[in-house]
Amino acid sequence: MNKDDLLYKYFSNSLTLKETQTFNELLEQDAAFKAQFEFEKNLKSAIKETESRKLKARLKEVEQDLANTTIKPGKTRFNYQMFAVAASIVVFLGWFGYNTLFGLNYNRLYQDNYKTYPNTVYSITRGDANNSLERAAFVAYEAEDYKQAVATFKEIEQTNKASYISFYMGQTYLELENLEAAKTMFEKVIETEKDFVPEAHWYLALTYLKLKNKTQAKVQLNTLVNTYTYNKEKALEILDRLD
Amino acid sequence: MENTNASHHILKALRSGSERTQREVYEANRDKFLNFAKRYALSEEDVIDVYQDAYIIFYNNIVSGKLEVLTSSISTYLFSIGKNLIMDRLRKQKRQLKTNDYTHLVQDETSDLSALDLEPEALSEEQELLRTHFGTLGKKCQEILTLFYYRGFTISEILEFSDYNSENVIKSQKSRCLKTLRELIKSNTI
């Protein structure tokens, strides 16, 4: 192996153990070899510095960019923009895909918008001595034991016709996927013209979505949007999609 | 830690010189670093300067092959390198540390820092001269020498990467470039 090859292998980190020995011997004994080695080693450092300076210049440009795209220096608007762009692409592609490839995906619309309504009417406190049916029903509801809840709500309904009972029964039926029963309950709430009427329109619309009844879903959403503020934005969004 | 496929890809992309990845990694760790450096009495401008220098040192360790596998997150490496640079800077400014030094916590996480270059290399006079004249070489020479000496490409890798026809052409081109550089230096010294 000649001296050039040894140097080549040194700089590409591929000297074998034996070659390393030869290499070290040459360094000690051969002044010309040593000079050539020093020259290349120095060149390596010089190039590293050249590249480091180039990188430094690039990083300074990055900082400049960051400062320009940010309202307040140093913070996160860049990320928000990226996120917004990414999100709108996802929404667009997602929607575009569903509409063109599969037609309207009712189930998806339902799932995107459906959230179980929280218990806002009956406060359950620990150690509560009240063993009323109503308490039992809401305990079951909060525990997501909807079968138990619906059984108890049915009993309550015999004597208590308040709209919130119907509303939570509707919720419970939705959870149990008894859509016709849910529909009846939400319609009852709307008839009372008392509490939970806008909410009932919203959930009735979702029920219709799940039943793939576009016309009726739109009727409910339009009523909601035109009369109430509850979930107005979401309703408008769905209406947009349904058109 | 980040020793997953993702970090493997990042290292590979950085080593091959992807400027996009360079920028992404820089931006991804920037806020963390600025936050980490808050405890030292340095201006934000200084801290950004230190972050860039730390990033360059980190990057050079990857390129030189000294850092082949990440055993900690990238930010941990940057903190450790940055800490050294900050200490240097503070020493020069003869300022006291604002608060206690917590960075030993950082260092503990990184086991193999000893193998890495943690400081920027100060060039000797001769190296400085080489750097100046290297900059006056033709583009092809600069490219081939950078690939070989900085990126550590073998001749056959350079062949793949460039539009040269054979390894021999590359070898003789490289020798010619070295010779030119020698002559440039000779004619400009004394």
Side-chain angles (χ1 to χ4, degrees):
Chain A
M1 171 159 303
N2 69 33
K3 293 175 189 173
D4 279 352
D5 283 340
L6 278 176
L7 284 169
Y8 167 72
K9 286 190 128 188
Y10 173 88
F11 284 106
S12 51
N13 292 320
S14 51
L15 285 174
T16 64
L17 203 64
K18 208 174 166 218
E19 287 162 352
T20 309
Q21 257 174 2
T22 321
F23 186 86
N24 288 332
E25 281 164 23
L26 274 171
L27 270 188
E28 280 179 28
Q29 294 155 15
D30 187 333
F33 180 80
K34 186 170 195 251
Q36 179 66 22
F37 168 68
E38 291 293 338
F39 175 75
E40 290 187 37
K41 212 175 150 220
N42 284 335
L43 175 60
K44 184 178 171 156
S45 299
I47 296 175
K48 185 178 163 191
E49 178 64 21
T50 305
E51 288 299 304
S52 299
R53 288 185 188 202
K54 276 193 207 163
L55 179 52
K56 180 86 181 180
R58 269 203 299 281
L59 297 180
K60 280 184 178 164
E61 274 173 34
V62 171
E63 283 297 331
Q64 202 61 50
D65 279 1
L66 289 177
N68 290 340
T69 45
T70 306
I71 301 170
K72 286 178 207 150
K75 281 294 160 190
T76 51
R77 188 174 159 219
F78 183 73
N79 289 337
Y80 282 130
Q81 280 178 341
M82 294 297 287
F83 180 74
V85 170
S88 55
I89 289 171
V90 167
V91 166
F92 176 76
L93 285 181
W95 192 238
F96 185 76
Y98 270 111
N99 273 328
T100 50
L101 297 176
F102 308 111
L104 195 53
N105 188 321
Y106 290 95
N107 230 352
R108 172 73 184 268
L109 256 188
Y110 174 82
Q111 269 159 15
D112 283 352
N113 288 288
Y114 175 69
K115 231 192 271 161
T116 316
Y117 200 90
N119 166 21
T120 57
V121 292
Y122 193 96
S123 87
I124 301 160
T125 40
R126 208 188 289 266
D128 196 341
N130 183 353
N131 280 322
S132 71
L133 278 177
E134 210 173 313
R135 181 173 192 273
F138 280 104
V139 167
Y141 183 81
E142 285 192 12
E144 298 179 15
D145 181 356
Y146 296 113
K147 278 193 180 144
Q148 179 63 48
V150 86
T152 321
F153 276 131
K154 264 189 195 161
E155 264 187 75
I156 299 170
E157 216 197 0
Q158 312 282 322
T159 50
N160 185 345
K161 305 273 180 201
S163 64
Y164 70 87
I165 297 292
S166 306
F167 179 73
Y168 279 99
M169 271 188 95
Q171 289 291 320
T172 313
Y173 280 127
L174 259 190
E175 285 290 344
L176 294 169
E177 306 227 357
N178 187 343
L179 300 178
E180 285 303 326
K183 213 176 89 185
T184 314
M185 286 300 148
F186 293 133
E187 281 166 352
K188 262 192 197 171
V189 176
I190 293 167
E191 276 166 31
T192 64
E193 295 180 358
K194 285 188 178 147
D195 293 338
F196 291 108
V197 172
E199 288 87 348
H201 281 295
W202 169 254
Y203 281 98
L204 190 52
L206 290 181
T207 309
Y208 279 123
L209 275 182
K210 189 123 192 185
L211 289 166
K212 301 198 169 137
N213 188 335
K214 187 168 153 181
T215 323
Q216 283 302 320
K218 280 170 83 172
V219 169
Q220 295 305 320
L221 289 170
N222 276 320
T223 312
L224 186 64
V225 166
N226 294 330
T227 329
Y228 307 96
T229 54
Y230 176 77
N231 274 358
K232 191 170 180 173
E233 292 294 316
K234 281 189 192 168
L236 283 169
E237 207 178 295
I238 298 176
L239 278 171
D240 226 36
R241 291 183 176 189
L242 290 175
D243 282 331
Chain B
M1 288 198 177
E2 278 184 58
N3 202 1
T4 57
N5 259 344
S7 84
H8 179 73
H9 280 298
I10 289 173
L11 281 196
K12 213 173 144 192
L14 287 177
R15 196 170 292 134
S16 69
S18 157
E19 287 189 16
R20 211 188 82 205
T21 310
Q22 237 176 34
R23 180 176 175 143
E24 281 169 0
V25 174
Y26 177 84
E27 288 185 8
N29 292 282
R30 185 181 176 276
D31 283 355
K32 272 189 237 169
F33 189 92
L34 298 196
N35 203 36
F36 152 79
K38 261 187 198 153
R39 60 179 73 108
Y40 299 103
L42 285 176
S43 68
E44 180 166 333
E45 208 178 313
D46 275 349
V47 169
I48 288 176
D49 200 44
V50 168
Y51 177 52
Q52 294 180 341
D53 291 347
Y55 188 79
I56 291 166
I57 291 170
F58 169 74
Y59 182 75
N60 282 335
N61 275 295
I62 292 172
V63 171
S64 70
K66 284 187 173 153
L67 187 52
E68 282 186 302
V69 180
L70 295 181
T71 55
S72 310
S73 62
I74 290 178
S75 58
T76 307
Y77 284 98
L78 291 169
F79 290 177
S80 304
I81 299 167
K83 181 202 140 192
N84 282 321
L85 299 178
I86 290 170
M87 293 305 172
D88 281 352
R89 225 170 253 235
L90 289 172
R91 229 169 280 135
K92 275 179 201 156
Q93 294 177 1
K94 289 185 181 158
R95 278 203 218 157
Q96 291 295 313
L97 295 184
K98 205 189 239 172
T99 57
N100 290 327
D101 174 13
Y102 299 112
T103 46
H104 59 278
L105 299 173
V106 171
Q107 200 125 35
D108 287 344
E109 287 176 44
T110 320
S111 46
D112 58 352
L113 273 183
S114 55
L116 304 187
D117 294 326
L118 297 180
E119 304 275 331
E121 202 179 335
L123 292 190
S124 68
E125 221 172 296
E126 199 185 341
Q127 288 166 346
E128 196 55 51
L129 202 62
L130 270 166
R131 191 185 65 77
T132 313
H133 288 293
F134 175 78
T136 67
L137 286 175
K139 220 181 155 196
K140 284 214 145 187
C141 271
Q142 289 196 25
E143 186 189 73
I144 203 173
L145 294 177
T146 302
L147 287 175
F148 185 75
Y149 290 103
Y150 179 68
R151 298 228 166 257
F153 281 29
T154 61
I155 300 290
S156 64
E157 281 170 333
I158 297 177
L159 181 66
E160 252 173 70
F161 184 84
S162 60
D163 52 6
Y164 290 101
N165 294 322
S166 74
E167 297 195 8
N168 280 336
V169 176
I170 296 173
K171 274 189 184 172
S172 55
Q173 167 79 9
K174 177 176 157 281
S175 306
R176 254 201 314 279
C177 293
L178 288 181
K179 198 174 162 220
T180 313
L181 191 57
R182 260 181 208 291
E183 282 163 2
L184 278 170
I185 287 179
K186 234 180 235 170
S187 63
N188 273 280
T189 39
I190 312 165

